[in-house]
Amino acid sequence: MKTFFSVLLLLIGINLIGQNPKSYELYNSKGKKVSWEKMTKDLQKQDVVFFGELHNSAIAHWLQLELTKNLYMKVTNKLALAAEMFEADNQIIIDEYLNDLIANKNFEEEARLWDNYKTDYKPLLEFAKQHSIPFIASNIPRRYAALVNKKGFKGLEELSDEAKKWLPPLPVPFDIELPGYAKMLKMAAHMPGKKGNAENLAKAQAIKDATMAHFIVQNMQPGMLMLHFNGRYHSDNHEGIVWYVKEYAPETKIKTISTVLQNDVNEIPDKNTNVADYILVVNEDVTETY
């Protein structure tokens, strides 16, 4: 009898191990599971969709490409892509590459690409190239974010008119009471070398958000759907870029996606709900891209 139960427990264990593990699950802001099809149907009705990623999440990058493909099938020539990972003053290089005016080798050598470009963002750009989809480099040139971190917004006033083409209109609105910036301010106050200058770190984040919002709004067209890829912290809780888009174009219809890691994707705790309209819960055991 003892042997029988031992074998039974072993078989149950093997069966559990053999079950298909879940790599991700989708939820809405109320913590209810939602299908990919239902989410996509909702997103295609928006003006702008923010896909907030974890930069090293293989699942998030795969689903960004799948969402791009799905939305393209729905809206075709009314889809545009934009991304934090490309800086605004590289727009001409992106356009030249998308229009076959320069070779891939020249593009990759001259654009300031992220280290994980080839694995995580190149598939998006290549899909845009293949289907003649506009691709907007939305982020501020990193040298100007560094300038704000050093001198605050006043440093931007010292730039030439030529340089200011890659910025949002000055002066930049800024609300330090927004929870995301307030949290950053509190964190910076305890960082070595930041005493007395903590606000500039929050402002450096804000100028990125404002610039991305500016170039999104500048490139929006009636009836167009803009799909923007960015780190989740730039759009969580409808702050960051979303807040600035609403400042520049209040009537814009916006939906957001956020990516979170959990050891169990079959339920979502309260802390991970409400961060976005849709939450992509990724199994924390899934291999990361770096």
Side-chain angles (χ1 to χ4, degrees):
M1 182 64 71
K2 183 177 180 181
T3 302
F4 170 78
F5 281 112
S6 296
V7 172
L8 180 61
L9 289 172
L10 178 61
L11 290 173
I12 291 173
I14 291 173
N15 183 56
L16 290 174
I17 293 173
Q19 288 180 355
N20 290 331
K22 273 192 174 181
S23 56
Y24 77 93
E25 187 66 78
L26 283 171
Y27 294 85
N28 63 21
S29 61
K30 297 180 180 179
K32 302 295 184 182
K33 289 183 181 180
V34 62
S35 70
W36 177 266
E37 292 76 15
K38 185 174 181 179
M39 181 185 75
T40 304
K41 187 176 181 180
D42 181 29
L43 297 182
Q44 73 185 66
K45 302 173 185 176
Q46 309 307 313
D47 299 319
V48 183
V49 172
F50 291 95
F51 197 130
E53 66 176 45
L54 295 173
H55 294 316
N56 60 356
S57 172
I59 292 292
H61 293 304
W62 167 54
L63 291 179
Q64 284 173 340
L65 182 60
E66 291 304 305
L67 182 60
T68 299
K69 292 177 179 178
N70 291 165
L71 290 177
Y72 177 74
M73 290 176 62
K74 301 291 186 181
V75 302
T76 58
N77 62 347
K78 293 184 178 180
L79 179 66
L81 305 181
E84 168 197 0
M85 301 79 196
F86 301 88
E87 296 170 33
D89 60 339
N90 277 335
Q91 186 67 58
I92 187 172
I93 304 176
I94 291 177
D95 290 342
E96 288 171 348
Y97 176 63
L98 293 181
N99 290 288
D100 283 322
L101 297 175
I102 61 173
N104 179 67
K105 180 176 182 293
N106 297 110
F107 168 71
E108 293 188 2
E109 286 178 351
E110 296 182 36
R112 295 183 296 276
L113 302 173
W114 287 23
D115 290 342
N116 58 327
Y117 163 73
K118 288 186 178 180
T119 55
D120 299 340
Y121 306 113
K122 185 172 183 176
L124 295 169
L125 194 69
E126 292 300 324
F127 186 84
K129 188 174 192 288
Q130 180 182 357
H131 297 281
S132 300
I133 300 171
F135 200 110
I136 309 304
S138 63
N139 208 355
I140 190 171
R142 63 193 73 176
R143 59 189 180 274
Y144 300 147
L147 176 62
V148 172
N149 193 35
K150 180 180 179 181
K151 293 187 173 184
F153 291 143
K154 65 182 181 181
L156 300 175
E157 301 289 354
E158 302 173 23
L159 294 172
S160 67
D161 290 341
E162 182 72 14
K164 289 176 183 176
K165 291 194 307 183
W166 312 120
L167 304 174
L170 302 178
V172 177
F174 179 61
D175 183 359
I176 193 60
E177 299 300 323
L178 286 173
Y181 297 145
K183 182 179 179 180
M184 186 171 290
L185 181 64
K186 184 177 181 180
M187 176 185 68
H190 299 284
M191 291 172 59
K194 274 294 178 183
K195 187 176 181 180
N197 200 31
E199 190 170 307
N200 283 352
L201 186 64
K203 287 181 176 178
Q205 176 84 345
I207 193 60
K208 295 177 183 179
D209 294 333
T211 303
M212 287 187 271
H214 167 67
F215 283 109
I216 288 169
V217 171
Q218 189 178 69
N219 286 279
M220 287 193 311
Q221 301 291 335
M224 174 183 284
L225 170 60
M226 180 83 70
L227 177 56
H228 189 274
F229 307 108
N230 53 268
R232 56 167 287 192
Y233 301 105
H234 287 286
S235 55
D236 272 4
N237 303 304
H238 283 231
E239 294 183 35
I241 318 171
V242 182
W243 186 86
Y244 277 102
V245 168
K246 288 295 188 179
E247 283 288 300
Y248 298 144
E251 302 303 316
T252 305
K253 294 183 294 183
I254 297 172
K255 286 293 174 74
T256 60
I257 303 169
S258 185
T259 307
V260 301
L261 293 179
Q262 294 181 189
N263 60 10
D264 181 5
V265 304
N266 292 304
E267 57 183 5
I268 184 169
D270 290 343
K271 69 175 183 177
N272 285 338
T273 60
N274 293 315
V275 295
D277 297 296
Y278 296 97
I279 300 95
L280 167 62
V281 178
V282 175
N283 190 315
E284 62 185 22
D285 289 336
V286 172
T287 302
E288 298 172 337
T289 59
Y290 65 89

